Amino acid sequence: MLVSRALLASRRADETLAFELATQAVAMAARSGNASAGALALGQIAYSEYTKGRIAEAFEHARRAVERVREAMQAKDTAGLQQMEVQMLTLRAIIEQAAEDFAQARVTLNEGLALARARGLRRPENSILETLGNLELRTGRHAQAVAFFEASTGRAEEIGWVIYAAMGRLSLARCHFELGRPDLAAEQLTLAETEAQRCESREAPQSRAGAPTTAFGPAHFDERMSATGRCEFGIVSDRHSTAL
């Protein structure tokens, strides 16, 4: 119950309360021997610390979360625990990126990706592919980022995850723009805008399909990115629920 309340508080952006509840949940899980609940609570603490910029603390809790879920799997290897292991690895990698340990983040993400694919976990796989794309984008490896974003967008469309498909295409637009491919960037933006209209967020932009690509320059790109990015208002709670 405490873990559920902590997750709910986090989805409501009250990370202070989420941290307090998750800390209590860790202690209770330790007393009861519930390793899976302890792992989930540790993951929430890691996320709360991460949002507050306490990266070293966040990493330590994420590391412990991975260890704890693996302890739980030794006792009983369930589908739920298998998914949690991949999710905790993804969370740890995001925190490793925040610490600018990009090499280790790649190792962690590739480990999680291999597990997700072996277990047929399509949503966690999508999240990892997107995170790998963001890692390569952040480090300026745009061509590699394109490959990951294309894979994540394809997976999102396959499972009907509209908001992830929209953001994936938005990221592809950024990559193509940085690679000097304005026509491809404009094409991806138009597709992203179409997907954004399907998001439930009231902030989803109006369609600009058919906008002339000849006028596609840096200022126009940034304006369209900003407008389409409003769809992310409707992503936050869903993204967090899948991260944990």
Coordinates of all heavy atoms in Angstrom, one line a residue, residues 170 173-174 177 185-186 189-190 192-193 196 203-209 211-212 215-231:
L170 N 9.4 13.2 -33.3 CA 10.0 14.5 -32.9 C 11.5 14.4 -32.8 O 12.2 15.2 -33.2 CB 9.3 15.0 -31.6 CG 9.5 16.4 -31.3 CD1 8.8 17.3 -32.3 CD2 8.9 16.7 -29.9
A173 N 13.1 14.0 -36.1 CA 13.2 15.3 -36.8 C 14.4 16.0 -36.3 O 15.2 16.6 -37.1 CB 11.9 16.1 -36.5
R174 N 14.7 16.0 -35.0 CA 15.9 16.7 -34.5 C 17.1 16.1 -35.0 O 18.1 16.9 -35.4 CB 15.8 16.6 -32.9 CG 17.1 17.1 -32.2 CD 17.4 18.6 -32.5 NE 16.5 19.4 -31.7 CZ 16.4 20.7 -31.7 NH1 17.2 21.4 -32.6 NH2 15.6 21.4 -31.0
F177 N 17.6 17.1 -38.7 CA 18.0 18.5 -38.8 C 19.4 18.7 -38.5 O 20.1 19.4 -39.2 CB 17.1 19.3 -37.8 CG 17.3 20.8 -37.9 CD1 16.8 21.5 -39.0 CD2 18.0 21.5 -37.0 CE1 17.0 22.9 -39.1 CE2 18.2 22.8 -37.0 CZ 17.7 23.6 -38.1
A185 N 13.7 16.1 -41.9 CA 13.3 16.6 -40.6 C 11.8 17.1 -40.7 O 11.0 16.9 -39.8 CB 14.2 17.7 -40.2
A186 N 11.5 17.8 -41.8 CA 10.2 18.4 -42.0 C 9.2 17.3 -42.1 O 8.1 17.4 -41.5 CB 10.2 19.3 -43.2
L189 N 8.5 15.8 -38.7 CA 7.7 16.8 -37.9 C 6.3 16.7 -38.2 O 5.4 16.8 -37.4 CB 8.3 18.2 -38.1 CG 9.4 18.7 -37.1 CD1 9.8 20.1 -37.5 CD2 8.9 18.6 -35.7
T190 N 6.0 16.6 -39.5 CA 4.6 16.6 -40.0 C 3.9 15.3 -39.4 O 2.8 15.3 -38.9 CB 4.5 16.6 -41.5 OG1 5.0 17.8 -41.9 CG2 3.0 16.4 -41.9
A192 N 4.9 13.7 -36.7 CA 4.8 13.9 -35.3 C 3.6 14.7 -34.9 O 2.9 14.4 -34.0 CB 6.1 14.5 -34.7
E193 N 3.3 15.7 -35.7 CA 2.2 16.6 -35.5 C 0.9 15.8 -35.6 O -0.1 16.0 -34.9 CB 2.2 17.8 -36.4 CG 3.3 18.8 -36.0 CD 3.6 19.8 -37.1 OE1 3.1 19.6 -38.2 OE2 4.4 20.7 -36.8
A196 N 0.5 13.8 -32.7 CA 0.3 14.6 -31.5 C -1.2 14.9 -31.4 O -1.7 15.1 -30.3 CB 1.1 15.9 -31.6
E203 N -3.3 20.2 -25.0 CA -2.3 21.1 -25.6 C -1.8 20.6 -27.0 O -0.9 21.2 -27.6 CB -1.1 21.2 -24.7 CG -1.4 21.9 -23.3 CD -1.7 23.3 -23.5 OE1 -1.2 24.0 -24.5 OE2 -2.5 23.9 -22.7
A204 N -2.3 19.4 -27.4 CA -1.9 18.9 -28.7 C -2.1 20.0 -29.8 O -3.1 20.6 -29.9 CB -2.7 17.7 -29.1
P205 N -1.1 20.2 -30.6 CA -1.1 21.3 -31.6 C -2.1 20.9 -32.8 O -2.4 19.8 -33.1 CB 0.3 21.3 -32.1 CG 0.8 19.9 -32.0 CD 0.2 19.4 -30.7
Q206 N -2.5 22.0 -33.5 CA -3.3 21.8 -34.7 C -2.3 21.3 -35.8 O -1.1 21.6 -35.8 CB -3.9 23.2 -35.1 CG -4.9 23.7 -34.1 CD -6.0 22.7 -33.9 OE1 -6.6 22.3 -34.9 NE2 -6.4 22.5 -32.6
S207 N -2.9 20.7 -36.7 CA -2.1 20.1 -37.8 C -1.5 21.2 -38.7 O -2.2 22.2 -39.0 CB -3.0 19.2 -38.7 OG -2.3 18.8 -39.9
R208 N -0.3 21.0 -39.1 CA 0.3 21.8 -40.1 C 0.8 21.0 -41.3 O 1.8 21.3 -42.0 CB 1.6 22.5 -39.5 CG 1.2 23.5 -38.3 CD 2.4 24.4 -38.0 NE 2.2 25.3 -36.9 CZ 2.4 25.0 -35.6 NH1 2.9 23.8 -35.3 NH2 2.2 25.8 -34.7
A209 N 0.1 20.0 -41.6 CA 0.4 19.1 -42.7 C 0.4 19.9 -44.0 O -0.5 20.8 -44.2 CB -0.6 18.0 -42.8
A211 N 2.8 22.0 -44.8 CA 3.6 23.2 -44.7 C 4.8 23.1 -45.7 O 5.4 22.1 -45.8 CB 4.1 23.4 -43.3
P212 N 5.1 24.2 -46.4 CA 6.2 24.1 -47.4 C 7.5 23.8 -46.8 O 7.9 24.5 -45.8 CB 6.1 25.5 -48.1 CG 5.5 26.4 -47.1 CD 4.5 25.5 -46.3
A215 N 10.6 26.6 -46.8 CA 10.8 27.6 -45.8 C 11.3 27.0 -44.5 O 11.3 27.7 -43.5 CB 9.5 28.4 -45.6
F216 N 11.8 25.8 -44.6 CA 12.2 25.1 -43.4 C 13.6 25.5 -43.0 O 14.6 25.1 -43.6 CB 12.1 23.6 -43.6 CG 12.2 22.7 -42.4 CD1 11.1 22.5 -41.6 CD2 13.4 22.2 -42.0 CE1 11.2 21.8 -40.4 CE2 13.6 21.4 -40.9 CZ 12.5 21.2 -40.1
G217 N 13.7 26.3 -42.0 CA 15.0 26.8 -41.5 C 15.1 26.6 -40.0 O 14.1 26.1 -39.3
P218 N 16.2 27.0 -39.3 CA 16.3 26.8 -37.9 C 15.2 27.4 -37.1 O 14.7 26.7 -36.1 CB 17.6 27.6 -37.6 CG 18.4 27.5 -38.9 CD 17.4 27.6 -40.0
A219 N 14.8 28.6 -37.4 CA 13.7 29.2 -36.6 C 12.4 28.5 -36.7 O 11.7 28.2 -35.8 CB 13.5 30.7 -37.0
H220 N 12.1 28.1 -38.0 CA 10.8 27.4 -38.2 C 10.9 26.0 -37.6 O 9.9 25.6 -37.0 CB 10.7 27.2 -39.8 CG 9.4 26.5 -40.2 ND1 8.2 27.0 -39.7 CD2 9.2 25.5 -41.0 CE1 7.2 26.2 -40.3 NE2 7.8 25.3 -41.0
F221 N 12.0 25.4 -37.6 CA 12.2 24.1 -37.0 C 11.9 24.2 -35.5 O 11.1 23.4 -34.9 CB 13.6 23.5 -37.2 CG 13.9 22.3 -36.5 CD1 13.5 21.0 -37.0 CD2 14.5 22.3 -35.3 CE1 13.7 19.9 -36.3 CE2 14.8 21.1 -34.6 CZ 14.4 19.9 -35.1
D222 N 12.5 25.1 -34.8 CA 12.4 25.3 -33.4 C 10.9 25.6 -33.0 O 10.4 25.1 -32.0 CB 13.3 26.4 -32.8 CG 14.8 25.9 -32.8 OD1 15.0 24.7 -32.9 OD2 15.6 26.8 -32.8
E223 N 10.2 26.4 -33.8 CA 8.8 26.7 -33.5 C 8.0 25.5 -33.6 O 7.1 25.2 -32.8 CB 8.4 27.8 -34.5 CG 7.0 28.4 -34.2 CD 5.9 27.5 -34.8 OE1 6.1 26.9 -35.8 OE2 4.8 27.5 -34.2
R224 N 8.2 24.7 -34.6 CA 7.4 23.4 -34.8 C 7.7 22.4 -33.8 O 6.9 21.7 -33.3 CB 7.6 22.9 -36.2 CG 7.1 23.7 -37.3 CD 7.2 23.0 -38.7 NE 6.3 22.0 -38.9 CZ 6.4 21.1 -39.9 NH1 7.3 21.2 -40.8 NH2 5.5 20.2 -40.0
M225 N 9.0 22.3 -33.4 CA 9.4 21.4 -32.3 C 8.7 21.8 -31.0 O 8.2 20.9 -30.3 CB 10.9 21.5 -32.1 CG 11.7 20.7 -33.1 SD 11.7 18.9 -32.9 CE 12.8 18.8 -31.5
S226 N 8.7 23.1 -30.7 CA 8.0 23.5 -29.5 C 6.5 23.2 -29.5 O 6.0 22.8 -28.5 CB 8.2 25.0 -29.4 OG 7.6 25.5 -28.2
A227 N 5.9 23.5 -30.6 CA 4.4 23.2 -30.7 C 4.1 21.8 -30.6 O 3.2 21.4 -29.8 CB 3.9 23.8 -32.1
T228 N 4.8 20.9 -31.3 CA 4.6 19.5 -31.2 C 4.9 18.9 -29.9 O 4.3 18.0 -29.4 CB 5.4 18.7 -32.3 OG1 5.1 19.4 -33.6 CG2 5.0 17.3 -32.4
G229 N 6.0 19.5 -29.3 CA 6.4 19.0 -27.9 C 5.4 19.2 -26.9 O 5.5 18.7 -25.8
R230 N 4.3 20.1 -27.1 CA 3.3 20.2 -26.1 C 2.6 18.9 -25.8 O 2.0 18.8 -24.8 CB 2.3 21.3 -26.6 CG 2.8 22.7 -26.7 CD 1.8 23.6 -27.3 NE 2.5 24.9 -27.7 CZ 2.0 25.7 -28.6 NH1 0.9 25.4 -29.2 NH2 2.7 26.8 -29.0
C231 N 2.7 18.0 -26.7 CA 2.1 16.7 -26.5 C 2.7 16.0 -25.3 O 2.1 15.2 -24.7 CB 2.3 15.8 -27.8 SG 1.7 14.1 -27.6

